[in-house]
Amino acid sequence: MSRVRLHAARLAVLLVAVVALGACEVGAMQTAIENPTPDPVTALQTTCTPPSCEELAVQIGDFAILPPVIRTSAPRVRFAITNIGAYTHSLEVRLPGGVVSSPRIGPGQTGYLEADLEPGTYEALDPTPGHAVRGARASLVAGPGS
């Protein structure tokens, strides 16, 4: 009987491990690294002018967003996102009203993203599967004195 219990215990541990690993592939916890084809990148046509809009230079590498804390006091921002890595990257900013995303940017390219911001702290990340979980994340702090 102890062999049956030992076998059942091993089976239960294996089942828990399979479920846990499967959950890591859902949503923002994806662990597989993808390298999608870049989108065609063109300069964003904009009227982003100070003081109501600020252009912010951001670099995305393998696997980091620089700077790790992005600060602005402007209510509108234009991200100039340069890919300094070997993979295709993108920038996604999670705002209370939804998510805004840049195009997929190939190595050595620069892409653009504009967003309207209320004062607060937001999450910015590379939404490419496997990138954010490996460190491609930053904080965006918006508001007076930022």
Side-chain angles (χ1 to χ4, degrees):
M1 265 224 226
S2 64
R3 285 183 110 187
V4 171
R5 286 184 184 162
L6 181 61
H7 181 67
R10 286 181 181 165
L11 185 59
V13 168
L14 180 61
L15 181 59
V16 167
V18 167
V19 169
L21 287 174
C24 288
E25 290 296 324
V26 176
M29 292 301 297
Q30 293 179 341
T31 57
I33 298 172
E34 288 187 16
N35 191 22
T37 303
D39 292 325
V41 177
T42 58
L44 181 65
Q45 300 300 316
T46 182
T47 57
C48 182
T49 56
S52 63
C53 186
E54 179 181 6
E55 184 162 304
L56 303 171
V58 176
Q59 296 178 325
I60 300 183
D62 305 328
F63 296 91
I65 296 177
L66 303 171
V69 178
I70 305 161
R71 297 180 184 280
T72 184
S73 57
R76 184 165 182 76
V77 295
R78 178 183 186 209
F79 295 96
I81 309 147
T82 302
N83 181 346
I84 59 170
Y87 290 92
T88 298
H89 297 292
S90 182
L91 182 69
E92 176 178 285
V93 179
R94 297 182 174 180
L95 303 169
V99 173
V100 292
S101 298
S102 74
R104 293 182 302 241
I105 305 163
Q109 293 183 319
T110 298
Y112 300 91
L113 170 66
E114 286 190 5
D116 292 310
L117 305 172
E118 295 290 329
T121 300
Y122 306 101
E123 182 178 29
L125 57 89
D126 182 346
T128 307
H131 292 214
V133 74
R134 285 178 172 76
R137 299 179 164 278
S139 294
L140 172 60
V141 181
S146 293

